[in-house]
Amino acid sequence: MVHLPPELMIKIIGYLYYSPDDVLDRVWPRARQEPYRPLGDTATMEKMNEIGVVPRRVQLLSRGTHFNVPGDMILSTGSCPALNPLRLVSRNFYDVCQAFAYRELEIDHSPQKRHTKSWETGINTIEIDAGSVKTIKIHLGPKSSSQQSKDPLWTSFIMDIAKVMVLCEHTETISLYYSKGGDDITAIRDQTLAMIEQGSVRNIGVYSSDVLENARRSLDYSSTTSPQGLLRQILTSSRACERLRRLDIVMEHVNVDLVQLLQTQLTSIQSLTIRKALRLSHLKDFQPFHMTMWAMNSNLTKLVLAHCHLAFADMMIPLLAHFYHLEELVWAHCGLWWMQPRAKYFPKGWSKSAHSLPNIRAPLKLLHIENVSELELRIMGEIPAEELTISDRQEGRIGKAFTESDEIFPRTKILRVPSNPPGYVAHFASPLEVACRRREIKLFRNARVLFPYADSNQ
C-alpha cells in the first residue's frame, strides 16, 4: 500500500469530489445523477441523503468566536463520506481533513426541516470553522401570508444571513434559491457584491425553486424583482464582472435591461447558464442573440441554454462565430414551435467553403442538443463538434439527417444518442449506424437527458 502525506491525499479526494462529471462518473457514480447541476446543488434533504451527505446542526466558529444562530435560521452542512474514516487515522490526518470535510454550508429557514430526525438529536451537532467554507447555499422559502414585504422579522432574518456570509471569508461560490422573487433581500445583495469585489467569490447562481421543481409551468407572472436586482447590482460593477467566472441564471424571466447588461459586461466569465429566463412574454421583439450587441469574451468556454424561447437554432451559428473560444454548448428545449427559423439550403461541398463555420473556428469539444425538430437539426448541422450528443428519442430524424448529408456536423468523432427501449432487438443496422460507420464516427447509445422534466417550448 502506498503511503501518501495527508495533504496530498486530501488534495486527491478534494479533486475527485469537486471535479467534472466525467471523473465523478468513474470514481463515485451516484454523486451526480445528471450532468447539469446547479452550483453546490444539494437543494433537498432527499438528494443529500441519496449521495451519502448527512445534514447536521452547525455551530459556526470564526476566529475563536462562536456565532449564535437565530431561532428561525437553520445552518447545515454536508461532508464528503470518504473523509470520515480518513480523519480517524491520526491527529495529523484529522487536522488536515477537518478543513476539507465541511465545505458546503446551507442556510435555510424552511419549517419542514426543523421536524426531521437529523435536527432532533444533539449527536449530529458539529462545530466548523467558517474559514473552511467554500460554498454557501441560501434557501429562501416563501414567507407566510401574514408577513409584509417590509416585515421587521424578515429583514432581521436577511441581515442574519448576511452576517453568516461575512464570517465565511474564503467562500468561492454563492447559490441563492428563492420562491418569492419580490421579497426584500438587500442585505444579502450588498454582501454578495462585496464578497465578489473584495473576497474570493468567483461563482454565482440564482435559482428559482419553481423552475427547478417544475419546468413545465409558464410562470410568466411570477415576480423576479429581488433576484434581478441582485444580478443588476453585480453586472453594473466593473470590478465584480472582472472577477466573476461562472454565472447560473435559472429564473422565470428577466427584463430587457438585464439582458443588455449580460451582453455588454460579461467579458471575463468562463461559464454561463441561462435557463427559462429569455421569455417571449417579457422580451417581446427584443432579440438577445443579435451578436453585434455582445462584447467579445475570449474566456467563455461553456454556455448552457435551456427552455429559452428566443434562443433559436439559427442564432447559434453567429453565436459560435462570435465566441470562437467556446468549447461546450448545451442547447435544450429552446425556441418556439410556431416561430421556427427558415430552412437553410446547404449546397454540396459547403463545409469546405472558406466562410463556413468549420473553417473559421475550431470545433467544439462538446455539443449537446436536446429536444430538437428535424429543421432545427439540419440548421445546427453546420456546427463542428468533436463530440455530439443528441438526447432525442426520435432516432429516425437523426438517421435521416446523417444519411442525406455526409457533411452535417463536420469534424464529429463521437456521437451519443439515447439507449434503445428495454427489450428492443435490432435485426439489422439502423440508418444512423450505417451513416456513422461510413463517416467513421463512434456511435454510443448512452446519451443522458439533462432536463428530464422539461416540456419543450414552454
Side-chain angles (χ1 to χ4, degrees):
M1 181 177 179
V2 179
H3 296 278
L4 298 176
E7 294 83 355
L8 181 58
M9 179 73 77
I10 296 304
K11 286 184 178 180
I12 294 173
I13 294 176
Y15 169 74
L16 294 177
Y17 184 54
Y18 292 97
S19 64
D21 300 291
D22 56 345
V23 177
L24 278 167
D25 285 341
R26 294 194 295 270
V27 300
W28 192 8
R30 297 193 66 197
R32 295 180 185 175
Q33 299 295 334
E34 64 279 346
Y36 170 77
R37 196 170 179 237
L39 287 164
D41 176 30
T42 46
T44 64
M45 300 282 286
E46 291 75 19
K47 182 173 288 188
M48 290 175 69
N49 291 329
E50 179 181 300
I51 65 175
V53 179
V54 181
R56 300 160 186 257
R57 189 189 305 274
V58 174
Q59 181 70 50
L60 206 57
L61 180 67
S62 176
R63 299 182 181 181
T65 303
H66 288 87
F67 174 73
N68 295 320
V69 180
D72 57 353
M73 180 189 297
I74 292 176
L75 295 184
S76 64
T77 186
S79 66
C80 175
L83 293 178
N84 294 330
L86 195 59
R87 286 187 297 172
L88 303 178
V89 173
S90 67
R91 180 66 186 178
N92 190 15
F93 267 98
Y94 181 87
D95 292 338
V96 176
C97 288
Q98 193 68 8
F100 287 83
Y102 302 105
R103 290 196 161 196
E104 293 188 357
L105 180 66
E106 281 198 276
I107 304 175
D108 202 317
H109 79 302
S110 299
Q112 61 270 25
K113 283 197 175 184
R114 300 193 191 106
H115 303 291
T116 60
K117 199 169 184 179
S118 302
W119 307 109
E120 295 172 359
T121 59
I123 299 176
N124 287 327
T125 301
I126 60 170
E127 180 182 281
I128 66 169
D129 181 6
S132 68
V133 174
K134 299 299 181 183
T135 297
I136 297 177
K137 296 172 290 182
I138 303 170
H139 300 273
L140 300 178
K143 295 190 297 181
S144 66
S145 58
S146 61
Q147 290 178 309
Q148 302 299 319
S149 59
K150 295 184 179 180
D151 184 354
L153 293 178
W154 173 261
T155 303
S156 175
F157 172 71
I158 296 300
M159 292 184 66
D160 286 335
I161 292 179
K163 292 177 183 177
V164 173
M165 296 170 67
V166 172
L167 298 178
C168 303
E169 54 189 352
H170 298 300
T171 300
E172 299 174 357
T173 298
I174 296 177
S175 302
L176 176 68
Y177 297 80
Y178 70 91
S179 294
K180 302 294 183 182
D183 295 338
D184 182 15
I185 57 170
T186 302
I188 294 177
R189 188 179 65 199
D190 293 343
Q191 184 57 35
T192 299
L193 179 63
M195 293 177 75
I196 299 174
E197 292 182 334
Q198 305 166 11
S200 58
V201 172
R202 296 289 184 273
N203 311 308
I204 295 292
V206 180
Y207 307 98
S208 164
S209 300
D210 290 335
V211 173
L212 291 177
E213 291 172 4
N214 189 351
R216 294 173 182 262
R217 295 173 57 189
S218 174
L219 304 170
D220 282 336
Y221 300 101
S222 300
S223 175
T224 60
T225 304
S226 295
Q228 285 202 70
L230 170 63
L231 293 173
R232 193 174 290 108
Q233 190 161 336
I234 293 172
L235 295 174
T236 51
S237 167
S238 57
R239 175 66 171 164
C241 290
E242 288 175 4
R243 298 173 68 86
L244 202 60
R245 292 296 176 263
R246 174 175 170 178
L247 177 62
D248 284 10
I249 302 174
V250 182
M251 294 169 53
E252 293 85 351
H253 49 78
V254 293
N255 297 334
V256 171
D257 69 307
L258 189 58
V259 178
Q260 291 173 331
L261 288 172
L262 291 172
Q263 292 174 327
T264 58
Q265 301 304 311
L266 294 181
T267 56
S268 300
I269 202 163
Q270 297 173 354
S271 175
L272 175 63
T273 294
I274 304 177
R275 182 176 177 187
K276 194 91 173 180
L278 303 178
R279 308 278 293 171
L280 178 65
S281 57
H282 280 72
L283 299 181
K284 306 296 182 184
D285 297 329
F286 181 79
Q287 177 46 255
F289 293 106
H290 281 158
M291 299 314 298
T292 55
M293 305 298 294
W294 284 80
M296 294 299 296
N297 182 351
S298 59
N299 297 302
L300 185 64
T301 58
K302 182 175 182 179
L303 177 62
V304 178
L305 299 171
H307 311 107
C308 294
H309 285 171
L310 301 178
F312 296 106
D314 57 338
M315 295 291 181
M316 298 301 103
I317 310 304
L319 182 147
L320 288 171
H322 183 81
F323 294 120
Y324 51 86
H325 284 96
L326 196 69
E327 297 177 353
E328 297 181 33
L329 173 63
V330 176
W331 187 88
H333 305 270
C334 292
L336 292 164
W337 66 268
W338 67 86
M339 294 179 66
Q340 289 281 315
R342 293 181 180 180
K344 188 175 181 179
Y345 174 69
F346 293 104
K348 190 172 182 179
W350 66 266
S351 61
K352 298 179 181 179
S353 169
H355 302 290
S356 65
L357 193 62
N359 292 313
I360 63 175
R361 65 154 292 147
L364 294 172
K365 291 184 178 179
L366 173 63
L367 171 62
H368 189 115
I369 301 174
E370 191 167 299
N371 194 7
V372 59
S373 69
E374 187 172 334
L375 175 59
E376 291 168 333
L377 187 64
R378 294 174 186 276
I379 291 174
M380 298 187 76
E382 188 178 349
I383 300 175
E386 295 178 358
E387 181 174 332
L388 171 64
T389 299
I390 305 178
S391 299
D392 198 311
R393 290 291 178 186
Q394 303 296 326
E395 184 178 315
R397 68 175 64 152
I398 305 174
K400 183 180 179 182
F402 274 81
T403 300
E404 292 180 350
S405 173
D406 283 339
E407 296 179 88
I408 194 170
F409 294 109
R411 315 283 174 85
T412 298
K413 300 176 181 178
I414 296 175
L415 172 61
R416 301 184 190 275
V417 297
S419 59
N420 289 320
Y424 175 84
V425 179
H427 298 287
F428 51 86
S430 68
L432 181 60
E433 292 171 339
V434 173
C436 288
R437 211 173 292 153
R438 184 175 64 250
R439 291 181 54 180
E440 298 182 347
I441 297 175
K442 295 180 180 180
L443 177 64
F444 297 93
R445 297 185 178 277
N446 60 353
R448 292 185 290 180
V449 177
L450 302 189
F451 306 95
Y453 303 108
D455 189 9
S456 63
N457 302 326
Q458 291 294 311

